Amino acid sequence: MCHARGWEPPVSAGLRPSVFDELESEVRSYCRRWPTIFATASGSWLTDETGHEYLDFFAGAGSLNYGHNNPVLKSALVDYVARDGITHSLDTYTVAKREFLETFHRVVLGPRDLDYKVQFPGPTGTNAVEAALKLARKCTGRETVISFTNAFHGMTLGALAVTGNSMKRAGAGVPLVHTTPMPFDHYLGGSVDDFHWLERALENSGSGLEKPAAVIVETVQGEGGVNVARPQWLRALAQLCRDRDILLIVDDVQMGCGRTGPFFSFEDAGIEPDIVTLSKSISGYGLPMALTLLKPHLDIWEPGEHNGTFRGNNLAFVTARAALEHYWADDGLQDATRHRGDMMSAAFTDLTATLPTVSSRGRGMVQGLVFADAAQAARVSTHAFEHGLLVETSGPRDEVVKLLPPLTATDDEIAYGVRMLADAATAATNHR
């Protein structure tokens, strides 16, 4: 149901409950933007302990593509727990893992004619990226990895080395080496030919650039500011990698599982990466789970060479299987995502026509409002929260208000949320 009634901010807004302030680390961040205590959630809505409701256009940073407590997934999970199904298994064989693998091959890989082995590297996206980088270096015997400006791939050291954000990189405390950043699509505003520098550097023995093991790329940079790579740019990148025997890694942690429309974000470009990383919404229910997909000839791991205690999250296998069977057996969700993405994009086009210092960009159901003044983006996020809408900011200066609604949000919820955001943007840009 779309809750369009009048709304007042919670009594606790602006206050930090003492137990969190006293006991939890200062590293916490999202709770500073949304200072209330959430209690329950269903579909596209969160409710705090005072009863105030919030339309969630954050969706666990893309971990809840099917909404909060999705009833189809919850039913499968509750049934599995009630019959004492295995919860933790490391990498031992279980019924839940077998059924997930069979379903993933039948529903996702097979129909797309994709030939990948499935690695369970650990429960988060950064684990999947670490595995991908280690494997690329092991397979090629080379050390360097090419990454891109404004990329974000995770917070562990290997993934952080291919991340662009200077604040996040500074937290490492040690040199982040064996990576080389290159301009992402349109980073230079189209002033130079795509890949001109990279191609020339790879060809010229005097460039100082060692032949890399791999290139890692996001098709849409979410944390980097909703920067969308054009299909032709991705195809040219894939061709460059093929021609020079460089592995292509696509990080689909946030943009996979249908966020841009198709299950994999690279499908529309018609490319087939050597390695793909998935996490966030692969479990469907917000349970920790990650996959590293690799071409069979790259599967040269020694047993136990890359492992992790929680790579066998059987509860996640159960909800992931239910999500695949319910939402990906046909094109219904993909078509709905494209439709709702078009709704959001059209509304933003209309809005930015009235706000000269604001622009928009996005693909599918990841859309961003870009503010010339980053302070305005912060005000929009605050205004939205105070009126019952959760959105986050992204980009190198946090100048982009990023929308990640559940893919299962209704048309009415999308329209309502976009109207709320338009009101917030108008109020922020008129602020003096």
Side-chain angles (χ1 to χ4, degrees):
M1 182 172 65
C2 192
H3 300 209
R5 61 179 179 273
W7 198 95
E8 296 179 359
V11 174
S12 60
L15 301 178
R16 293 186 295 186
S18 61
V19 66
F20 302 112
D21 216 21
E22 293 173 4
L23 299 182
E24 190 177 2
S25 166
E26 291 298 321
V27 77
R28 63 194 186 277
S29 61
Y30 290 113
C31 56
R32 300 179 192 275
R33 304 178 190 178
W34 305 324
T36 191
I37 302 175
F38 297 108
T40 61
S42 179
S44 301
W45 295 87
L46 282 160
T47 304
D48 70 13
E49 65 178 359
T50 69
H52 287 92
E53 295 175 312
Y54 301 80
L55 181 58
D56 185 3
F57 273 23
F58 174 64
S63 296
L64 296 165
N65 282 3
Y66 313 106
H68 294 272
N69 287 303
N70 183 289
V72 173
L73 280 56
K74 179 166 63 176
S75 176
L77 178 60
V78 169
D79 176 69
Y80 182 80
V81 172
R83 54 187 171 86
D84 290 335
I86 299 291
T87 297
H88 178 273
S89 64
L90 292 165
D91 69 355
T92 58
Y93 300 142
T94 66
V95 171
K97 183 199 282 190
R98 180 182 64 198
E99 292 178 345
F100 165 74
L101 285 169
E102 290 172 345
T103 303
F104 188 70
H105 185 270
R106 173 173 50 84
V107 175
V108 176
L109 298 181
R112 292 161 179 80
D113 197 27
L114 293 172
D115 186 17
Y116 289 122
K117 298 287 287 294
V118 179
Q119 179 180 353
F120 300 98
T124 69
T126 197
N127 296 141
V129 170
E130 294 287 351
L133 298 177
K134 286 170 63 175
L135 184 61
R137 288 171 170 137
K138 179 179 174 67
C139 288
T140 64
R142 303 189 290 263
E143 296 178 346
T144 301
V145 173
I146 300 293
S147 59
F148 291 95
T149 51
N150 289 319
F152 178 77
H153 296 289
M155 298 296 282
T156 51
L157 289 182
L160 200 56
V162 289
T163 288
N165 185 284
S166 60
M167 183 275 288
K168 293 180 172 65
R169 290 176 63 88
V174 297
L176 299 172
V177 297
H178 304 307
T179 65
T180 302
M182 289 290 168
F184 191 70
D185 191 13
H186 272 290
Y187 180 76
L188 299 174
S191 60
V192 297
D193 292 337
D194 293 327
F195 308 119
H196 179 73
W197 159 244
L198 178 55
E199 289 180 316
R200 184 66 180 271
L202 289 170
E203 293 169 354
N204 189 337
S205 60
S207 69
L209 177 65
E210 298 179 4
K211 184 176 181 179
V215 171
I216 185 167
V217 68
E218 304 155 275
T219 66
V220 181
Q221 295 180 326
E223 297 303 307
V226 193
N227 304 310
V228 182
R230 294 165 298 155
Q232 58 267 38
W233 186 87
L234 292 168
R235 287 192 289 270
L237 177 62
Q239 187 64 51
L240 181 149
C241 289
R242 280 195 301 271
D243 291 346
R244 290 163 176 79
D245 190 30
I246 301 168
L247 297 179
L248 177 62
I249 304 169
V250 168
D251 181 342
D252 237 3
V253 167
Q254 189 169 81
M255 297 304 152
C257 302
R259 175 56 55 182
T260 66
F263 186 86
F264 295 107
S265 71
F266 55 81
E267 290 183 52
D268 285 340
I271 63 174
E272 191 170 323
D274 298 291
I275 303 175
V276 181
T277 61
L278 289 173
S279 187
K280 292 194 182 286
S281 277
I282 186 61
S283 81
Y285 203 73
L287 297 171
M289 180 178 175
L291 306 178
T292 302
L293 309 181
L294 47 135
K295 291 294 186 180
H297 71 277
L298 300 176
D299 190 18
I300 63 171
W301 290 115
E302 295 291 332
E305 191 174 8
H306 185 92
N307 57 27
T309 303
F310 295 101
R311 65 193 183 279
N313 185 351
N314 287 259
L315 303 185
F317 296 157
V318 169
T319 55
R321 176 194 175 199
L324 294 176
E325 290 180 333
H326 187 78
Y327 290 104
W328 293 101
D330 57 33
D331 292 336
L333 182 64
Q334 174 177 297
D335 293 344
T337 298
R338 293 187 192 277
H339 162 68
R340 289 165 188 150
D342 289 343
M343 285 179 60
M344 296 163 67
S345 179
F348 281 0
T349 298
D350 291 343
L351 173 64
T352 56
T354 67
L355 303 174
T357 61
V358 184
S359 60
S360 65
R361 56 186 181 234
R363 182 174 156 223
M365 287 182 70
V366 51
Q367 297 286 331
L369 279 180
V370 187
F371 291 81
D373 179 359
Q376 292 180 345
R379 287 197 291 270
V380 168
S381 178
T382 299
H383 185 283
F385 168 74
E386 291 173 349
H387 290 77
L389 176 68
L390 302 183
V391 293
E392 72 166 334
T393 56
S394 67
R397 297 181 294 112
D398 276 331
E399 75 278 15
V400 180
V401 176
K402 181 174 69 172
L403 272 66
L404 292 170
L407 307 185
T408 52
T410 66
D411 285 7
D412 285 347
E413 287 170 339
I414 294 295
Y416 178 52
V418 169
R419 284 198 304 272
M420 293 173 71
L421 192 65
D423 291 344
T426 301
T429 52
N430 289 334
H431 177 82
R432 293 291 184 270

